Each structure stands twice: as C-alpha cells, then as structure tokens.
Amino acid sequence: MAEILFPALFILLALGLPVAFAMMIAVFVALTFGSSYPHLVVVKEMFSGLDSFPLLAVPFFILAAEIMTGGAVTMALLRLAQSLVGHLRGGLGHANVVSSAMFAGISGSALADAAGPGSMMIRMMEKGGYDRPYAGALTIASAVVGPIIPPSITMIIYAMQDQQVSVGSLFMAGVLPGVLITFMVLLANAYVSRKRGYVSGDSMPTLLEIGRIFVFALPALSLILLIVGGIRFGVFTPTEASVIAVFYALIVGMFVYRSLKLRDLPGILLKAAMTSGAVLLILGAARAFAWVLIIEGIPQQLAGTIISWELSPIVFLLAVNLLLLAFGLFMDPLPGVMILVPILAPISFALGIDPNHFAIIVIVNLTLGLTTPPVGSLIFVVSSTVHLKPSTLIRELPPFFLALAAALLLITFVPSLSTWLPAVSGF
C-alpha cells in the first residue's frame, strides 16, 4: 500500500487540497487499490486517534487563546513590547518580535501569533515607514516561537506519541529554545533595519513608565506562569490546566481588562470550535495515515535500516534535521509529529539522545516548515493580512531563514538549551 499511499498524498497536496483531506483520500486510495481492508477502518482509526483524554487540552487551550486575544490584551502586550525595545533602531520591528514571544505564552500557535498581534504590528510598522513586504516577512519569522514557548498544542500532541516525555517536561524544554529563536530574529531585524535605514521615532521611556505598562500587561503574562507552575508543582494536569486557562482568560477579559462582553462569547466559541475542528480533523487523518504505515511495517523497516548504519548521535541529528526540513515543505507540524515521531523517537532514544532534546529539535524543524513554500501556512496567513502575493513575502525571508537556521543548529548542538530547565524543574 505504501507505494500507492505516498504518491497519492503528494499528488493531492500538489493539487492544493488541505492536508487533512489529502491524507484521508490517500488512505482511501491505498486501501482501494492496495489491500483488502474495508474502508470503514479509516473511520475507526480516525476515531481512535481522537479518543484520548489528554487531547481535550487542545480545544480548551484554543478557546483560552481566543478569549485572551481581545483588543485590550493584545494592546497591553504590544505596549509592553514597544516600551522595552521600541526606542532602538528598528524598534517597531523589535516590538513585533517581542510581542510575538509574549503572545506565544497565551496562544500556543504560530498561526494565532501571526493573525493576532502580528497583523496589528504590520499596520503599525507600515505607518512607521517600514516596507509592507518586510513587515509581513518579519511577522512570519517571529511567529515561529508560537509552538515553542509554552503552552504549545504541538507539544501536547508530541507527548501523546512518545512515552519518554511528558507535557510538563516539554513545556519547560521549550522555554530557552523559544528565547533563543526570538533573539536570533531580533538580530536579523537589527541587521536589516541598519542596512535599510529603519529608525525609531520613540524616545526611551522612563523606568516608571515601563513599570506602569508592565503592571497593566501582567494579568495577560501571568497565564503562562499559571499553566507551567501549576503543572510543575502537581497542582493540576495539562488537561486540567487548559480548563483553568479558559476560566482565567474569562476573568481577565471580563473583570480586569473589561474588554470582553457576554455578547462576544457566542462568536468566540464558534471561532474556537471551528479552529478546534480543523486541528482535530488533521489529527484524525494523521492517525489513519500512520496506521497504514504501521501495518505495512515501514517504521520497523526504517528503524532497522537506520540503526544498521551505526550513525553517531550528531550525524543522526543532522540527518533528522534535513529529513524534517524537507518533510516540513509539504506537511504541517501536527500530522508531521503523529507520523514521524513513532518512527524516529525510539531510534534517538536507542542512540542515547535525551528525549526532551530530540522533541524540541523535531518541533522546531516542523514549525520552520510553516515559513517555507509551497505549503507554508504562515506565508498564506500573512499574505492575506497584508494583501500581497506570497512570492513578494518570500523574497524578504532569506535573512530570517539564516537566523532561524542558526538557532536550529544551536539547539541541535547544545542539548542543555532543551534539557537544563526540565532537569532543574524536576522533570
């Protein structure tokens, strides 16, 4: 079936079908022409992939992010970011990057980062004299931290595929890599801003002004401390944390910032339901796709082949980076995690690679795929926001590709970036 499955998938993706439908149709085609299994097995496997209590965290975190994405919350984060770095050369660009990192602690999604504060920062940057294509490209690059800084939907799915890690340990493992990626994108923006003469018209705020802005933004920033701290100290599980995040977001939106009204809730619930449905459909389709691979014995064959090569851990990680970057050209992170992690994680563990370190490498690699054509979702989200052709944005991305590649290499060759914080946190 595999000789039918993969060609069918690539053809459907090339025709522009959404990833979930491409995987489902490819599985149906493979079963029709390559096996005697009934088609009902696809539905069964999709349901089995979604019949999981930990998976409840996904729609609840999505709902919490939708509630927290109100105007007051987003503006609080933007004001704080601008007060910290807005006075520097390329300050509005720096504020874009820093606000994306802050918002990552609320959304857990790169696409939410780009569509939320990213879209607002693009308008502000354009008014500040930045080229619109550059502002869009910077937003694409800065949104990469969305699934890296906790909470992260991708990390929740990864922990369900690899029993060597937990959601809590991955949340802690993603903090320093997320900060590193943010720093590298800031460096790239500083270089381009100096080269093109982007300057800042803002004066440096006083410490008192920064303090006031920080206090105003603190309720929004506290969500990440609530989630990670509660999981770390065993107060609640990741699934329970997602529910608490929803109630916390409601309290902050309605009673602290007072930007959320009861009449807004039906629209928020509908949007969160549609986003959750799309995510869960992808996960179900990925489960059916992975089932075909398993019954064909492909994971076992591939694992045996790679182990027989007797690669060193470093060479294996470099090969994994190349494989995942290529895979990310055509596949979103969530199905990538469900398909590849059961194959690659046991091999990395057998080679003595720390499971948290390997998990972050996989997640960062697949997330970078959101910035690369032909399937890069971030490119198309930002393209619709700035009303520019994707090709126009892609021409502005090379400096950020270099910055993100440098961050990936550091994460690969410096394991402590991913392992130190989980270790000192007791995971």
Side-chain angles (χ1 to χ4, degrees):
M1 283 192 291
E3 64 275 9
I4 300 174
L5 183 69
F6 286 104
L9 175 65
F10 290 130
I11 291 172
L12 292 168
L13 290 175
L15 292 174
L17 262 70
V19 173
F21 292 104
M23 286 192 293
M24 283 189 288
I25 294 173
V27 172
F28 273 109
V29 171
L31 291 177
T32 301
F33 298 102
S35 78
S36 57
Y37 288 98
H39 292 110
L40 187 62
V41 74
V42 179
V43 180
K44 171 186 173 298
E45 289 301 322
M46 289 182 66
F47 180 80
S48 298
L50 301 178
D51 187 18
S52 170
F53 179 74
L55 198 58
L56 284 173
V58 172
F60 281 114
F61 274 129
I62 291 173
L63 178 57
E66 291 292 341
I67 295 172
M68 290 289 280
T69 313
V73 175
T74 304
M75 285 308 301
L77 297 179
L78 292 180
R79 286 179 58 196
L80 178 59
Q82 196 162 356
S83 71
L84 294 173
V85 295
H87 60 282
L88 303 174
R89 178 183 288 274
L92 282 175
H94 291 325
N96 188 337
V97 179
V98 174
S99 62
S100 286
M102 293 177 181
F103 197 77
I106 296 174
S107 68
S109 165
L111 299 181
D113 263 21
S119 62
M120 298 177 69
M121 281 305 307
I122 289 172
R123 293 192 293 270
M124 293 173 63
M125 290 177 67
E126 189 175 7
K127 290 179 181 178
Y130 290 75
D131 297 326
R132 187 155 48 128
Y134 175 75
L138 177 61
T139 299
I140 291 171
S142 62
V144 167
V145 297
I148 313 302
I149 294 177
S152 166
I153 294 171
T154 307
M155 290 178 180
I156 295 171
I157 304 305
Y158 189 104
M160 294 174 60
Q161 310 304 314
D162 184 3
Q163 301 302 314
Q164 301 295 330
V165 297
S166 65
V167 173
S169 70
L170 290 184
F171 279 6
M172 299 307 296
V175 173
L176 293 182
V179 172
L180 173 63
I181 291 172
T182 301
F183 178 73
M184 297 304 293
V185 177
L186 285 172
L187 286 181
N189 176 65
Y191 169 78
V192 175
S193 296
R194 182 170 296 276
K195 185 177 179 181
R196 298 187 181 183
Y198 295 144
V199 296
S200 172
D202 296 343
S203 59
M204 184 173 180
T206 64
L207 290 176
L208 181 60
E209 290 172 333
I210 295 176
R212 288 173 178 170
I213 295 172
F214 176 78
V215 170
F216 183 70
L218 188 58
L221 294 173
S222 297
L223 179 60
I224 183 173
L225 299 177
L226 174 69
I227 294 171
V228 176
I231 294 173
R232 161 63 186 86
F233 294 107
V235 180
F236 37 70
T237 66
T239 306
E240 293 166 345
S242 66
V243 179
I244 292 171
V246 171
F247 282 99
Y248 179 86
L250 285 170
I251 293 171
V252 168
M254 298 181 72
F255 303 110
V256 179
Y257 292 117
R258 297 182 180 179
S259 61
L260 179 65
K261 308 299 181 184
L262 284 176
R263 64 176 178 270
D264 300 328
L265 291 181
I268 290 173
L269 289 169
L270 177 61
K271 189 175 180 180
M274 292 177 65
T275 304
S276 300
V279 171
L280 295 175
L281 186 62
I282 291 174
L283 296 179
R287 171 61 182 259
F289 192 92
W291 172 80
V292 175
L293 298 181
I294 291 171
I295 63 172
E296 287 284 279
I298 292 176
Q300 298 87 335
Q301 295 173 21
L302 184 59
T305 301
I306 294 176
I307 292 174
S308 69
W309 292 343
E310 298 182 352
L311 301 176
S312 67
I314 291 297
V315 174
F316 172 74
L317 289 178
L318 289 174
V320 165
N321 280 331
L322 294 175
L323 170 65
L324 294 176
L325 288 174
F327 193 86
L329 294 174
F330 306 99
M331 191 71 70
D332 286 340
L334 294 182
V337 165
M338 293 193 69
I339 293 170
L340 294 176
V341 169
I343 300 173
L344 298 175
I347 302 173
S348 71
F349 187 70
L351 292 174
I353 299 170
D354 185 275
N356 287 310
H357 179 212
F358 185 74
I360 297 302
I361 290 174
V362 171
I363 293 170
V364 171
N365 268 291
L366 292 176
T367 303
L368 292 183
L370 295 173
T371 70
T372 54
V375 179
S377 301
L378 280 173
I379 296 174
F380 294 102
V381 168
V382 174
S383 173
S384 64
T385 299
V386 299
H387 306 292
L388 290 173
K389 293 181 179 179
S391 58
T392 305
L393 294 172
I394 293 170
R395 283 196 293 268
E396 296 281 357
L397 281 171
F400 302 113
F401 285 150
L402 292 176
L404 294 171
L408 177 60
L409 288 175
L410 285 172
I411 292 169
T412 300
F413 291 114
V414 186
S416 57
L417 287 170
S418 307
T419 60
W420 178 75
L421 205 50
V424 299
S425 301
F427 287 104

